[in-house]
Amino acid sequence: MDATTKPLRIPPEMAVYAEEKEIYDLMESMLTQLIVDRPEDPIQYLIDLLKRDSMEVPRIFLLGPPASGKRTIAKMLCEHTHAIRVGASSLLEEDTDLVRAARQYQDQRQEIPSELWIKLVRQRLSKMDCIKRGWVFEGIPRTREQAVLLQEAGIAPEHVVLLDAPDTVLIERNLGKRIDPVTGDVYHATFAWPGEATVAQRLQEAPGVEEESTAAQLLEFHRAVHPLQNTYKHRLRVVNADQPLVDVFSQVLTFALSRPRSTAPHTPRVLLLGPPGSGKSLQAALIAQKYNIVNICCGQVLKSAAADQTGLGELIKPYLETGERVPDSMVVKILSERLSQLDCTTCGWTLHGFPRDVDQAEKLKDAGFVPNRVFVLEMPDDVAIERITLRATDPVTGERFHSLYKAAPSPQVQRRLQRNPRHSEERLRQRLEEYRAHAPELQAFYPHATHLNADQDPHSVFEALESRVVGRLPKSLSTPGPSGPLD
């Protein structure tokens, strides 16, 4: 073969290493922050970014109407993620020129301008604790104007949570609210009374929580919430706050730990395992067609190699002609050449038909090909036998029919149908026994594999499979803590 026409081979270790170390995400994050901050010395700025303990820190907006539980949930989030809680009161604690200017508006009973709020936010986020540990905004922004100003300042959240509850529930919560003047914790006369008598004795009614004022605050919130939802619709999760606190926090924490869709390249490397008749070929074809990735059927790759009349192809021809098993070393070498070509490296691949046991899986891993999504299509043996033994092919059109699910359209087509000798019940049971013998060890080799029920409509199987192909792997979840005081 002419060296100029030889397929370009890219070492598979490049993509595996880049994804394991999240190099693409790191470059995307660094470039984003570089464009937002626009430092005078970009090289030194990037060096300082790399010196941080972690660039993937929480950046959460926690929004909601009065008495929806923002403060309580924000505190619990910060306890679990070690992020910094940023609220309206905490922004006015320091003694700076900006804080003094904001307090003058408060002393004159005037609303603090949005531009001044944003400056206070930027001043707080410039502190090293927010940079290293991330932040949770409590009730900020309150309007679309503030949201736009935050975006212009380069302050963008990864997750936005909107707590929601009926107005009647929120008014009842607000009227029963009690505040600990020492710690600032919020309790409720009915739903969350403190267990310690000393704390209960010093609780005070929250100022300005009359029913009329609460209704006015809710009306103001409802006017502002829809523009805010539209602003953050791609990063927003609405959580029902009218349920036990532990359930609310569990939903918020799960969303906060989820990883948003990244524009950085993540090449899909999908491995499909399962018994004969479980639909691996069909699911691989559906994935390849929808996402433009390469469908790699081990058997077809071996036949193509034999047809190309290459040196290795000539060696495996006798095995294919006699139906004997091709040695694993030859199979892995042929698969390696195919999987390392440019289309597989850039677009990704979905592999089925290999590996069939742990030894083959080890050889595939040693060759540098590590799948990042593994699916096991589960199916009972009797269903697999019914699917395959009643299957036949039209030699004229190549179309496949089934006696139960897809009968031949005419007697003429029915007469010319042919059955594959490999689809006899006796040979199929041998293949199923072989699969069951190796399945436990093979599945243990891929402990993070997703198991799917293949005994259902193929499109239902594809929907379940697809939902796990397109999403990024989540962060490890923390266990929600016990219930505490309400906001």
Side-chain angles (χ1 to χ4, degrees), residues 389-410:
T389 57
L390 301 180
R391 185 185 294 171
T393 305
D394 184 354
V396 176
T397 63
E399 189 174 0
R400 181 182 293 176
F401 296 95
H402 193 276
S403 300
L404 295 180
Y405 307 122
K406 186 182 178 182
S410 65

Side-chain angles (χ1 to χ4, degrees), residues 463-484:
E463 289 178 0
L465 189 150
E466 179 188 28
S467 65
R468 293 164 175 82
V469 169
V470 298
R472 296 179 64 187
L473 295 174
K475 305 175 189 175
S476 58
L477 297 178
S478 299
T479 304
S483 58

Side-chain angles (χ1 to χ4, degrees), residues 8-28:
L8 177 62
R9 184 183 187 277
I10 299 178
E13 295 82 3
M14 292 178 59
V16 174
Y17 177 83
E19 290 185 17
E20 284 182 353
K21 305 301 181 182
E22 298 188 339
I23 301 297
Y24 301 130
D25 298 276
L26 178 64
M27 295 177 64
E28 180 191 36

Side-chain angles (χ1 to χ4, degrees), residues 297-307 313 316 320 326 330-331 334:
C297 174
C298 181
Q300 294 296 330
V301 171
L302 296 179
K303 292 177 183 178
S304 299
I316 67 172
L320 299 179
V326 181
M330 295 184 181
V331 177
I334 293 174

Side-chain angles (χ1 to χ4, degrees), residues 4 12 14-15 71 128 135 140 156 159 173 196 235 240 249 280 307-308 331 339 344 369 414 435:
T4 60
M14 292 178 59
R71 180 178 303 175
M128 191 54 63
W135 38 260
I140 302 174
H159 302 85
R173 282 188 182 181
E196 298 182 12
R235 304 188 178 192
N240 178 20
F249 178 65
K280 299 185 295 295
D308 288 341
V331 177
L339 292 174
C344 289
F369 299 98
Q414 177 69 36
Y435 171 78

Side-chain angles (χ1 to χ4, degrees), residues 397-452:
T397 63
E399 189 174 0
R400 181 182 293 176
F401 296 95
H402 193 276
S403 300
L404 295 180
Y405 307 122
K406 186 182 178 182
S410 65
Q412 182 181 3
V413 176
Q414 177 69 36
R415 285 192 296 269
R416 68 180 185 230
L417 292 181
Q418 297 180 357
R419 300 184 184 276
N420 191 327
R422 296 179 69 248
H423 294 170
S424 66
E425 184 172 347
E426 181 181 357
R427 296 186 63 177
L428 180 58
R429 288 190 181 278
Q430 293 177 356
R431 293 167 59 194
L432 287 170
E433 289 178 4
E434 181 181 357
Y435 171 78
R436 299 299 179 194
H438 296 292
E441 293 182 353
L442 187 58
Q443 293 173 17
F445 188 82
Y446 298 109
H448 301 294
T450 301
H451 294 252
L452 300 176

